[in-house]
Amino acid sequence: MGTRYGRRVEAVLVVGGPGTRLRPLTVHHPKHLLPVAGVPFLAHQITKLAAAGIDRVVLATSYRASEFEQTFGSGQELGVELVYGIEEEPLGTAGAIRNVASLLRGRRADPVVALNGDILSGHDLTAQLARHRACSADVTLHLVEAEDPRPFGRVPTDATGLVTAFLEKSPDALGSQINAGCYVLNRSVIDEIPIGRSVSIERETFPGLLAKGRRVMAYTESAYWLDLGTPKSLVQASCDLVRGIAQSPAYDQPPAESRILPGAVVAPSASISRGSTIGRGAEIEAEAVVQGSVVMDSATIGKGASIVDSVVGPAARVGAGTHVHDAVIGDGATIGEACELANGVRVWCGATLGDGAVRFSTDV
Ligand code: GDD
Ligand code: MG
């Protein structure tokens, strides 16, 4: 477990959430394994940990737990040893970390990196670990500025960078600095989390540490950062990686307007742009237009159809001349010809819409 930090460092990835805001894409798969730039999302985070010298990563799984090991196995291909912990019942973000504590090998004073498993972040993890050590902190949180902080945890700090409060999903105007979902925790902090019940790290553990006067330090860095909790942010992360706006050790392609995965068939007159990804075995027919979108494995896009700012799930079919703008099509759904889907509409997995079945009176 050697790291550039110079001490033992292990990581826990908290990946048990059901991904409700991403439905129907998460009906059959955890959000952490959805393809982002053609790679199961978690591979971006695991290789980032490996690049920081962390070589042992514990996954705290719950929702659709078995898929993680089926996807990543021992972790060898990603350059780490992967260890899988499973919660029978979801235990919350701190309960999940406590539940896998017995799988960690570090000693009481050793730091552990814990991450939300849905964050694409370019921040310097080695610098965050160095700040943790330099400040003799109990916990060091990566913080970022958010344009709209309301869906996140707000984390005000004092002039020395010490955290003064932790306000999860608060509507109050308390600054725009938010919890970016990557923590360095001393092992002793993990051992203090209650066992056997659901515990939220944001609503219980962090406020509790502050109330006890423990040293909770901020590491603020404004590198690329995105939470993949919604279809819009999933698509944005994917397109940003393809276009080189975001970087990941798991994505080694040069910046481009599109990524066509092996086995996809794209007609020469089709146009794929704005960072779109076309999955393995997908078929894009003549004159179709795909912009700023993710078309997953084995999906079919018919002649002259347009897919803009959207996700087309695996094995879904979009008929000729259909327009899909700002919409999500679930796994295996079939959309007939000459339909118009827009304004955030979501078509459920396996649903069938006939030719011209959905239209909007306004232009889409
Ligand atoms: N194992 C396990 N068990 N994992 C869980 C559970 C659980 O009961 N509940 C949630 N998770 C995992 C999710 O899979 C995700 O990786 C992570 O914990 C955070 O859950 P989200 O549901 O994505 O939370 P959020 O995005 O609304 O808010 C969190 O992340 C923000 C940054 O992206 C909070 O930590 C906020 O404070 C933070 O600002
Ligand atoms: Mg999230």
Side-chain angles (χ1 to χ4, degrees):
M1 264 181 289
T3 76
R4 286 183 212 142
Y5 181 59
R7 286 162 67 179
R8 293 166 157 257
V9 182
E10 301 170 276
V12 175
L13 269 161
V14 183
V15 293
T20 316
R21 287 170 294 164
L22 277 159
R23 284 185 197 154
L25 301 170
T26 48
V27 171
H28 298 299
H29 305 288
K31 69 172 157 179
H32 311 282
L33 299 181
L34 293 175
V36 171
V39 178
F41 177 69
L42 210 54
H44 297 298
Q45 288 187 295
I46 294 170
T47 54
K48 178 183 167 88
L49 291 169
I54 293 172
D55 56 12
R56 191 160 184 280
V57 179
V58 179
L59 301 192
T61 68
S62 175
Y63 179 69
R64 302 195 76 88
S66 59
E67 278 189 46
F68 290 87
E69 192 161 3
Q70 284 161 18
T71 305
F72 297 123
S74 67
Q76 200 178 1
E77 282 178 23
L78 300 172
V80 296
E81 178 195 354
L82 285 180
V83 182
Y84 299 90
I86 301 181
E87 293 150 58
E88 299 304 330
E89 293 294 325
L91 290 171
T93 41
I97 298 170
R98 183 68 183 94
N99 188 56
V100 297
S102 61
L103 300 174
L104 295 169
R105 291 191 181 147
R107 292 159 302 173
R108 203 177 145 70
D110 286 338
V112 176
V113 174
L115 290 98
N116 289 345
D118 60 348
I119 301 300
L120 185 62
S121 174
H123 86 283
D124 183 344
L125 182 55
T126 307
Q128 184 180 353
L129 280 157
R131 179 161 175 81
H132 181 75
R133 181 173 49 177
C135 298
S136 301
D138 294 295
V139 178
T140 301
L141 308 175
H142 175 213
L143 304 182
V144 292
E145 292 285 324
E147 252 171 55
D148 178 6
R150 286 170 301 175
F152 301 108
R154 282 187 219 200
V155 186
T157 47
D158 71 13
T160 66
L162 276 169
V163 170
T164 55
F166 202 104
L167 304 138
E168 185 66 13
K169 311 221 169 24
S170 161
D172 306 329
L174 290 160
S176 52
Q177 196 169 246
I178 61 150
N179 168 28
C182 178
Y183 321 125
V184 183
L185 310 163
N186 286 346
R187 173 66 199 263
S188 54
V189 170
I190 296 177
D191 291 342
E192 287 168 34
I193 298 168
I195 300 180
R197 68 170 172 88
S198 178
V199 183
S200 160
I201 204 162
E202 300 88 353
R203 296 179 196 274
E204 184 173 338
T205 308
F206 291 147
L209 288 170
L210 294 174
K212 283 188 232 155
R214 304 281 287 277
R215 282 179 75 75
V216 181
M217 185 56 63
Y219 172 75
T220 309
E221 197 192 311
S222 58
Y224 183 97
W225 184 88
L226 203 59
D227 168 315
L228 271 80
T230 63
K232 191 167 183 264
S233 56
L234 178 95
V235 169
Q236 191 185 331
S238 187
C239 295
D240 285 350
L241 282 163
V242 170
R243 300 177 94 182
I245 294 165
Q247 276 81 35
S248 159
Y251 188 79
D252 58 2
Q253 306 291 309
E257 275 297 288
S258 64
R259 171 106 205 257
I260 317 292
L261 282 136
V265 178
V266 177
S269 60
S271 147
I272 319 290
S273 65
R274 283 216 273 119
S276 299
T277 298
I278 310 298
R280 288 177 183 78
E283 208 171 321
I284 313 295
E285 294 179 0
E287 289 150 39
V289 171
V290 181
Q291 295 179 348
S293 294
V294 175
V295 175
M296 295 190 185
D297 292 355
S298 305
T300 306
I301 310 300
K303 186 176 180 206
S306 68
I307 312 293
V308 179
D309 300 331
S310 294
V311 184
V312 179
R317 304 177 69 84
V318 174
T322 281
H323 300 295
V324 178
H325 291 204
D326 178 25
V328 180
I329 315 292
D331 309 20
T334 302
I335 316 292
E337 298 185 1
C339 293
E340 294 172 359
L341 301 174
N343 301 334
V345 74
R346 300 182 187 206
V347 178
W348 221 251
C349 303
T352 301
L353 300 176
D355 293 348
V358 187
R359 295 280 187 136
F360 283 84
S361 53
T362 51
D363 288 345
V364 290

